[in-house]
C-alpha cells in the first residue's frame, strides 16, 4: 500500500485542474531569437540549454525524488515550434472540448496570440512539412485512407540507453563527446552534443544547489525555483541526502537504487524538455536497475524503503501528460504519455532474465493504481510460474496492466527484419504496443495509420459495375491498398525529412547507439536501426465485410452488387434494410470465432498490407515496417468510413485494438479469439499489434481464477501471438462510473495499448469499453 508520503503525493497530482503551460514555448523562442542564422541542430542544443538554465524548478515538501517538467503537475506543455496553428485554433476550446480538457488563463491566451504565434508562424516543423509535401499526398490524405502523424509534435517512441548512463556517468559521456569534437571540430552533431551534456551536468548541479539551500534553511538563490521549506529535521535530512545524490550523479556512475532512480528520472525530464514528445519510454528497468537494487539491499536498505522509493518514481511519471489537438486526442484519448516499463523476457543468450526486481516492479502497481507507467511483461515458454502468477494478480486488479508481449514471436520478427539476435532478445516496448530495441533503434513507430476499410469502400465505389468474381474484387482491393501505401510512404518520408531539417534531438541521440560513433543525429540516420512504423487498421471489419460479400453476392447470389451498394449508400435507412443488416451481422461468421474461412480473409489482407509496406525504404536508410493497432483511433477512423457490408452504419467505430474482433461479435469465448488471431501472420507486424480481451472479474476470482489466467497466458505464448491486454471490470461498474463520475475518480481502464482514468475519457470511448464482450474462462 501507499505510505503516508506517497498517498499525499498521489492526491496532490489531482488537486488542481490541468492547465496549459507556455513556459517551454517562451524559453525556446527566447533562445531562437538569439540564434538566427545558425544550423538547426545547434539552435536546438542552445534552446535545450536555455530551458534547463531558466525553467521553473519546483520541489515540494514530501517527495524523495526531484525533477519537474512544468510548474504544476499534469500540465499541458505546448511546442509551437512544431506547429503553432492548432494551438491558436483551440485556445478558447481547451476547457470545453470533448476529450482531454485543459484550463488556460486569458493572460496566457493573449501571450500566445500576440507573442508566440507570430514568432513561430511560418518557421515550424509543420510549415516545412506542408511546403515540401507532394500535392498527390495532400490529395490522398483528403481521401482519409491515411494521415501522416508527427507533423505537429516532437518524435518520441524511443528508449534511451539508460543503463549506459548509470554505468558510465554523465561525465564520461561528455568526455567522449569532447574527444570526438577535438578530432572533428566541424562536426555539428558533436558540437551540439557537447552543448547538451555540459548543460545537463549543470542542470543536475542546479537542482543540487537548490535542494542543499533548502536543506540548510538558507534563502533559495535561484530566481526560477519554488521550494517548500524543510519544516522538520527529518525533512532537512532527506533533502541533504538528495543533494548529496545529485552532486554525485551529476558526473559519476550510479552507486545504488536511489542514485539510479534519481538519475533516470532527471534524464527523462531532460528528454521531455528537448522533445516534449510522447513515448520516451523507460525500457527493461528490471534489467538495468538490478545491480543498483542489489547494492541498496546489501547496504542495508529495507524492503519498505525501496518500495516507497519506487512508488515515488511511479508517481513522478504521472506528473507528465500529453496535450494534443482535438483531432489527435480522439486518436490518443486520456493523455497517454507512454512511459512504458518492461519486465521479464529472455537475456542475450535466450535464458529467462526475470529476477526479484521484476516482481517488485509489477507489484508496486498495486500500490499506485494509476495509468503510468505503462507496465508490460515479456512472456516466453520458460517464464517462471511465480512471475506469471504475480502478473495475473496485477492484471486482476483491473487497471489494464501489465500488458503481455510474446518472446516466442517478437524476437523472430526482429531477426527477420535484420536485427541481430542479441539485440532482438533485448527488445522493449515504446508508448502503447510498439516494439523497439532499447538504445539502438529510432523507429518513427507511430508515423501513420492506414485505414484498410476505407480502401474497401473506395474500391467498391470505383467499381460500381461490380466484379465477375470474388477473386477479382480481392485483386482490385489489393491494388487500392498498394496505391495508397505508396502515397503514405511518400508523406512519411517528407515528415521524416522535416524532423531532420528542423527538429534534431542531439541530447537524445547521444543515448542511442551508434549516433556518437557515426557523428549523426537520430533524425539523420545515426541509430543502429532506422525503421518507420505504419499501422494497418481494420482487419476484423475487413474480414467480416468481405466474407458477407463473398457469400451473399458471389456464392449465394442472394443480392446483386448494385443492390448492396444502394443499401450501403443510404446507410441502411430504407424499409427492410434493418432486417438485412441484422442478417449480415448475425447470419454470417465473424472474425474472432475460430472460423477458418473468415479468419483467412483477415490473414490475407493484413499479410498483403505488411508485405507491401516492407518493400519501401525511408530517408534514414531503414525499411518501413507494419504494425496493427489503433490506440483509440478505431473511433475516428470509423467516422471516416461509410456503411459497410459487415453491418456497420456510416461513421460507427471500427474494431478496437487492431487485431481484436469487432465489438460484440466474438461469440465463442476468449480462446476462440486467440485461435483466430493466431492464424494471422503475426511475425510480419514488427512495429507491434494489439489484442484486447475483457474478462468478468468473477471469472478471475480466487486462486482458481489466477490459475485459469496463467493457463490462458501460456496458450497465448504457444500460439505465437504478439500481444494481449486485459480489462477486468464488469459492465455495471462502468455504467455507474459513466453516470456518476464523482464516485469513480480512481477507476483506471485499458483503452488500447495504454490505460487511462475512465472518467477522463469521452463518452464515445467509454461506450466502446463498456460494449466490448465480457468473457469468462
Amino acid at each position: 500500500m501507499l505510505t503516508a508520503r506517497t498517498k499525499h503525493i498521489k492526491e496532490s497530482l489531482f488537486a488542481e485542474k490541468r492547465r496549459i503551460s507556455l513556459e517551454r514555448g517562451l524559453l525556446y523562442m527566447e533562445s531562437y531569437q538569439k540564434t538566427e542564422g545558425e544550423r538547426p541542430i545547434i539552435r536546438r542544443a542552445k534552446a535545450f540549454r536555455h530551458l534547463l538554465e531558466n525553467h521553473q524548478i519546483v520541489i515540494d515538501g514530501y517527495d524523495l525524488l526531484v525533477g519537474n517538467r512544468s510548474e504544476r503537475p499534469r500540465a499541458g506543455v505546448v511546442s509551437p515550434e512544431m506547429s503553432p496553428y492548432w494551438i491558436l485554433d483551440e485556445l478558447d476550446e481547451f476547457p470545453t472540448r470533448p476529450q482531454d480538457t485543459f484550463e488556460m488563463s486569458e493572460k496566457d491566451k493573449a501571450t500566445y496570440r500576440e507573442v508566440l504565434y507570430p514568432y513561430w508562424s511560418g518557421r515550424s516543423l509543420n510549415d516545412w512539412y506542408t511546403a515540401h509535401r507532394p500535392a498527390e499526398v495532400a490529395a490522398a490524405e483528403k481521401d482519409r485512407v491515411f494521415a501522416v502523424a508527427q507533423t505537429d509534435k516532437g518524435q518520441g517512441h524511443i528508449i534511451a540507453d539508460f543503463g549506459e548512463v548509470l554505468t558510465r556517468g554523465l561525465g564520461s559521456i561528455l568526455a567522449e563527446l569532447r574527444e570526438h569534437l577535438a578530432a572533428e571540430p566541424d562536426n555539428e552533431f558533436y558540437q551540439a552534443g557537447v552543448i547538451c551534456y555540459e548543460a545537463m551536468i549543470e542542470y543536475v548541479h542546479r537542482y543540487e544547489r537548490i535542494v542543499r539551500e533548502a536543506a540548510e534553511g538558507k534563502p533559495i538563490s535561484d530566481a526560477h525555483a519554488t521550494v517548500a521549506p524543510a519544516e522538520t529535521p527529518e525533512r532537512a535530512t532527506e533533502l541533504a541526502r538528495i543533494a548529496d545524490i545529485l552532486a554525485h550523479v551529476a558526473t559519476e556512475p550510479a552507486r545504488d537504487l536511489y542514485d539510479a532512480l534519481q538519475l533516470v528520472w532527471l534524464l527523462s525530464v531532460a528528454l521531455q524538455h528537448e522533445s516534449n514528445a510522447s513515448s520516451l519510454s523507460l525500457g527493461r528497468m528490471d534489467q538495468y536497475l538490478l545491480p543498483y537494487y542489489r547494492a541498496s539491499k546489501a547496504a542495508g536498505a529495507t524492503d519498505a524503503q525501496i518500495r516507497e522509493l519506487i512508488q515515488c518514481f511511479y508517481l513522478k511519471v504521472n506528473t507528465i501528460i500529453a496535450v494534443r489537438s482535438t483531432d489527435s486526442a480522439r486518436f490518443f484519448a486520456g493523455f497517454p504519455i507512454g512511459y512504458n516499463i518492461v519486465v521479464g523476457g529472455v537475456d542475450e543468450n535466450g535464458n529467462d532474465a526475470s529476477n526479484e526486481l521484476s516482481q517488485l516492479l509489477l507489484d508496486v502497481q498495486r500500490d499506485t493504481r494509476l495509468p503510468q507507467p505503462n507496465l508490460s511483461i515479456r512472456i516466453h515458454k520458460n517464464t517462471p510460474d511465480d512471475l506469471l502468477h504475480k502478473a495475473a494478480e496485477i492484471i486482476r486488479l483491473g487497471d489494464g496492466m501489465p500488458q503481455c508481449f510474446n518472446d516466442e514471436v517478437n524476437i523472430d520478427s526482429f531477426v527477420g527484419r535484420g536485427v541481430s539476435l542479441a539485440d532482438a532478445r533485448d527488445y522493449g516496448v515504446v508508448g502503447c504496443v510498439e516494439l523497439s530495441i532499447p538504445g539502438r533503434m529510432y523507429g518513427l513507430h507511430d508515423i501513420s495509420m492506414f485505414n484498410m476499410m476505407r480502401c474497401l469502400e473506395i474500391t467498391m465505389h470505383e467499381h460500381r459495375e461490380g466484379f465477375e468474381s470474388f477473386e477479382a474484387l480481392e485483386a482490385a482491393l489489393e491494388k487500392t491498398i498498394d496505391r495508397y501505401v505508396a502515397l503514405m510512404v511518400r508523406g512519411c518520408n517528407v515528415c521524416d525529412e522535416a524532423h531532420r531539417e528542423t527538429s534534431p534531438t542531439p541530447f537524445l541521440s547521444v543515448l542511442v547507439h551508434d549516433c556518437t560513433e557515426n557523428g549523426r543525429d537520430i533524425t539523420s540516420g545515426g541509430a543502429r536501426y532506422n525503421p518507420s512504423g505504419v499501422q494497418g487498421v481494420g482487419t476484423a471489419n475487413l474480414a467480416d465485410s468481405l466474407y458477407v460479400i463473398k457469400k451473399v453476392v458471389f456464392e449465394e447470389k442472394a443480392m446483386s452488387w448494385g443492390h448492396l451498394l444502394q443499401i450501403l449508400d443510404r446507410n441502411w435507412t430504407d424499409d427492410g434494410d434493418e432486417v438485412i443488416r441484422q442478417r449480415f451481422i448475425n447470419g454470417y461468421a465473424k472474425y474472432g470465432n475460430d472460423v477458418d474461412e473468415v479468419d483467412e480473409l483477415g490473414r490475407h489482407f493484413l499479410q498483403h498490407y505488411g508485405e507491401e509496406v516492407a518493400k519501401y525504404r525511408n530517408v534514414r536508410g531503414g525499411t518501413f515496417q507494419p504494425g496493427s493497432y489503433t490506440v483509440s483511433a478505431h473511433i475516428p477512423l470509423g467516422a471516416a468510413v461509410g456503411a459497410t457490408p459487415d453491418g456497420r452504419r456510416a461513421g460507427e467505430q471500427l474494431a478496437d485494438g487492431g487485431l481484436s474482433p469487432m465489438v460484440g461479435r466474438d461469440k465463442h469465448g476468449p480462446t476462440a479469439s486467440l485461435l483466430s488471431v493466431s492464424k494471422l501472420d503475426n511475425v510480419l507486424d514488427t512495429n507491434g499489434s494489439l489484442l484486447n480481451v475483457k474478462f468478468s472479474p468473477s471469472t478471475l476470482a480466487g486462486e482458481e481464477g489466477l490459475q485459469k489466467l496463467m493457463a490462458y497466458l501460456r496458450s497465448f505464448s504457444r500460439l505465437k501471438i504478439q500481444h494481449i491486454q486485459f480489462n477486468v471490470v464488469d459492465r455495471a461498474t462502468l455504467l455507474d462510473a459513466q453516470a456518476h463520475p464523482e464516485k469513480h475518480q480512481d477507476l483506471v481502464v485499458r483503452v488500447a495499448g495504454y490505460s487511462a482514468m475512465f472518467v477522463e475519457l469521452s463518452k464515445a470511448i467509454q461506450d466502446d469499453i463498456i460494449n466490448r464482450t465480457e468473457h469468462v474462462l
Side-chain angles (χ1 to χ4, degrees):
M1 64 175 60
L2 292 176
T3 65
R5 177 199 310 275
T6 51
K7 182 179 179 182
H8 176 89
I9 295 170
K10 180 180 177 180
E11 290 172 351
S12 71
L13 291 176
F14 304 95
E16 298 182 9
K17 293 183 177 180
R18 295 173 300 274
R19 300 189 67 84
I20 294 293
S21 171
L22 300 183
E23 180 185 56
R24 183 183 180 279
L26 289 166
L27 289 172
Y28 261 62
M29 183 191 70
E30 287 176 5
S31 178
Y32 266 61
Q33 288 172 330
K34 298 173 183 176
T35 59
E36 294 286 353
E38 298 185 39
R39 292 289 297 159
I41 193 169
I42 303 300
R43 301 187 79 185
R44 291 281 289 180
K46 289 182 177 180
F48 174 74
R49 179 178 64 192
H50 184 66
L51 191 149
L52 296 191
E53 291 172 346
N54 293 284
H55 90 91
Q56 187 77 17
I57 285 177
V58 179
I59 298 171
D60 66 24
Y62 295 86
D63 214 332
L64 295 175
L65 298 170
V66 299
N68 60 288
R69 181 181 68 157
S70 51
E71 184 178 351
R72 293 183 177 89
R74 303 186 86 227
V77 174
V78 294
S79 300
E81 83 276 13
M82 297 299 172
S83 176
Y85 306 107
W86 73 266
I87 305 167
L88 179 72
D89 293 341
E90 300 194 16
L91 289 178
D92 293 323
E93 308 301 326
F94 279 123
T96 59
R97 62 188 194 169
Q99 180 65 60
D100 294 5
T101 59
F102 292 87
E103 299 296 313
M104 192 172 186
S105 70
E106 292 301 320
K107 178 181 177 182
D108 281 352
K109 290 179 187 178
T111 298
Y112 190 85
R113 290 189 180 103
E114 298 166 13
V115 179
L116 282 169
Y117 178 79
Y119 179 80
W120 291 113
S121 179
R123 62 179 82 205
S124 69
L125 179 148
N126 185 266
D127 289 299
W128 198 100
Y129 172 76
T130 302
H132 293 83
R133 177 180 55 176
E136 312 91 275
V137 173
E141 288 194 275
K142 291 182 179 179
D143 290 336
R144 300 187 296 178
V145 175
F146 68 88
V148 177
Q150 315 306 339
T151 63
D152 62 356
K153 60 181 67 68
Q155 176 54 268
H157 288 85
I158 193 169
I159 305 169
D161 194 341
F162 293 106
E164 180 169 9
V165 186
L166 296 179
T167 302
R168 293 180 56 191
L170 289 168
S172 173
I173 292 172
L174 176 59
E176 181 184 4
L177 289 168
R178 285 172 170 165
E179 288 176 6
H180 281 290
L181 181 59
E184 300 181 48
D186 294 330
N187 184 297
E188 293 172 349
F189 175 73
Y190 295 137
Q191 294 171 15
V194 168
I195 292 170
C196 288
Y197 279 82
E198 288 177 344
M200 182 65 197
I201 290 171
E202 176 53 31
Y203 186 52
V204 182
H205 281 309
R206 184 181 171 210
Y207 270 102
E208 178 208 348
R209 289 191 296 272
I210 293 167
V211 174
R212 199 172 299 282
E213 288 171 350
E216 296 173 355
K218 296 178 180 179
I220 305 303
S221 58
D222 193 309
H224 303 293
T226 302
V227 185
E231 296 182 346
T232 65
E234 291 79 12
R235 182 57 179 167
T237 300
E238 287 176 353
L239 290 173
R241 184 181 182 188
I242 294 171
D244 289 343
I245 289 169
L246 292 165
H248 179 82
V249 300
T251 55
E252 303 306 312
R255 299 161 297 188
D256 58 16
L257 187 65
Y258 206 155
D259 280 3
L261 287 175
Q262 180 61 82
L263 182 52
V264 167
W265 180 243
L266 284 177
L267 287 167
S268 296
V269 170
L271 290 167
Q272 284 291 340
H273 285 321
E274 181 181 48
S275 293
N276 189 29
S278 63
S279 308
L280 293 162
S281 294
L282 294 163
R284 303 182 72 186
M285 291 191 78
D286 64 337
Q287 304 302 303
Y288 64 77
L289 289 182
L290 183 62
Y292 309 103
Y293 168 80
R294 288 176 174 169
S296 288
K297 291 284 288 183
T302 67
D303 290 341
Q305 289 170 332
I306 287 173
R307 193 179 189 100
E308 184 177 54
L309 191 60
I310 297 174
Q311 288 175 359
C312 286
F313 187 90
Y314 278 26
L315 292 167
K316 276 292 188 190
V317 302
N318 283 277
T319 64
I320 297 180
I321 61 174
V323 56
R324 297 178 170 89
S325 67
T326 294
D327 187 59
S328 182
R330 297 167 66 216
F331 286 71
F332 304 93
F335 316 98
I337 196 66
Y339 274 122
N340 209 302
I341 290 177
V342 181
V343 302
V346 299
D347 62 19
E348 62 181 5
N349 298 312
N351 300 316
D352 179 66
S354 62
N355 53 64
E356 61 270 32
L357 188 54
S358 310
Q359 294 209 34
L360 180 56
L361 290 173
L362 288 174
D363 203 49
V364 173
Q365 176 62 25
R366 189 194 307 273
D367 303 333
T368 56
R369 304 296 300 272
L370 287 172
Q372 298 291 329
N374 193 2
L375 283 172
S376 304
I377 181 172
R378 284 176 45 180
I379 295 173
H380 56 94
K381 62 183 179 182
N382 294 320
T383 296
D385 280 346
D386 60 349
L387 182 64
L388 208 59
H389 193 277
K390 177 61 66 178
E393 288 179 9
I394 305 307
I395 289 169
R396 187 170 66 178
L397 295 175
D399 299 334
M401 291 183 273
Q403 57 182 336
C404 306
F405 293 84
N406 191 354
D407 285 7
E408 301 301 321
V409 61
N410 292 333
I411 293 170
D412 289 343
S413 296
F414 272 128
V415 171
R417 297 287 188 209
V419 174
S420 74
L421 179 58
D423 285 349
R425 284 172 169 164
D426 193 38
Y427 78 89
V429 183
V430 294
C432 298
V433 299
E434 299 95 307
L435 307 177
S436 191
I437 309 299
R440 282 149 284 180
M441 178 176 284
Y442 175 56
L444 275 174
H445 293 285
D446 200 27
I447 191 65
S448 186
M449 289 189 181
F450 187 93
N451 192 336
M452 293 195 289
M453 280 303 290
R454 185 74 181 110
C455 287
L456 175 61
E457 184 176 35
I458 289 170
T459 302
M460 294 177 72
H461 283 90
E462 288 180 345
H463 295 271
R464 298 193 71 89
E465 74 284 0
F467 299 92
E468 292 184 0
S469 66
F470 181 71
E471 291 72 23
L473 167 60
E474 288 184 301
L477 177 54
E478 289 173 0
K479 289 181 180 178
T480 304
I481 290 172
D482 296 351
R483 182 171 86 235
Y484 281 100
V485 163
L487 291 165
M488 175 180 66
V489 164
R490 291 179 66 187
C492 291
N493 276 334
V494 174
C495 180
D496 209 337
E497 291 173 323
H499 280 268
R500 181 188 69 203
E501 296 301 321
T502 70
S503 307
T505 53
F507 180 73
L508 168 61
S509 296
V510 170
L511 301 182
V512 178
H513 304 279
D514 303 314
C515 291
T516 299
E517 295 85 340
N518 294 331
R520 296 199 306 273
D521 191 85
I522 56 171
T523 60
S524 295
R528 183 172 302 175
Y529 304 111
N530 290 281
S532 293
V534 288
Q535 283 47 267
V537 175
T539 298
N541 300 95
L542 186 62
D544 293 349
S545 294
L546 288 172
Y547 188 70
V548 169
I549 294 172
K550 181 180 181 183
K551 293 297 180 182
V552 171
V553 176
F554 292 101
E555 293 183 6
E556 299 171 2
K557 300 189 185 302
M559 181 179 294
S560 70
W561 179 259
H563 188 193
L564 175 61
L565 284 179
Q566 288 174 4
I567 291 174
L568 299 180
D569 287 345
R570 63 181 179 243
N571 194 23
W572 313 96
T573 56
D574 208 0
D575 291 344
D577 285 355
E578 182 59 20
V579 173
I580 296 171
R581 193 177 80 88
Q582 292 300 325
R583 179 160 63 90
F584 284 6
I585 293 173
N586 299 302
Y588 296 91
K590 296 293 183 289
Y591 168 84
N593 294 286
D594 190 25
V595 178
D596 287 345
E597 193 173 0
V598 65
D599 294 342
E600 168 59 24
L601 290 168
R603 185 208 64 78
H604 173 80
F605 280 97
L606 189 60
Q607 179 181 358
H608 179 84
Y609 169 77
E611 291 176 346
E612 186 65 22
V613 162
K615 293 177 182 178
Y616 292 92
R617 298 190 68 82
N618 63 32
V619 296
R620 288 171 287 117
T623 59
F624 278 80
Q625 61 174 358
S628 186
Y629 61 86
T630 64
V631 196
S632 57
H634 52 288
I635 293 175
L637 290 175
V641 182
T644 46
D646 61 341
R648 276 184 62 262
R649 291 190 175 91
E652 289 184 345
Q653 70 169 76
L654 301 179
D656 65 85
L659 302 185
S660 306
M662 181 59 175
V663 35
R665 295 182 185 173
D666 43 342
K667 303 290 189 182
H668 295 284
T671 302
S673 296
L674 278 188
L675 291 170
S676 286
V677 178
S678 73
K679 298 169 192 173
L680 305 175
D681 197 349
N682 289 286
V683 75
L684 288 177
D685 282 340
T686 39
N687 201 57
S689 59
L690 195 156
L691 174 61
N692 278 319
V693 175
K694 181 179 173 185
F695 280 129
S696 165
S698 61
T699 200
L700 301 183
E703 181 60 29
E704 181 182 359
L706 293 177
Q707 292 297 324
K708 288 179 182 178
L709 182 54
M710 290 170 64
Y712 188 74
L713 289 172
R714 294 286 188 197
S715 297
F716 151 79
S717 179
R718 286 193 300 271
L719 289 170
K720 296 192 174 183
I721 298 167
Q722 283 190 328
H723 164 276
I724 194 168
Q725 62 183 27
F726 304 94
N727 262 317
V728 184
V729 61
D730 61 81
R731 181 181 176 86
T733 298
L734 294 175
L735 287 170
D736 190 65
Q738 192 177 58
H740 306 286
E742 71 282 356
K743 294 170 23 182
H744 299 271
Q745 293 294 310
D746 292 335
L747 179 59
V748 177
V749 296
R750 201 70 180 169
V751 181
Y754 65 92
S755 293
M757 313 299 287
F758 184 78
V759 298
E760 291 184 341
L761 298 171
S762 68
K763 185 176 184 301
I765 297 172
Q766 289 180 346
D767 288 343
D768 168 59
I769 294 169
I770 290 168
N771 292 329
R772 294 175 190 172
T773 303
E774 191 173 306
H775 288 294
V776 295
L777 281 173

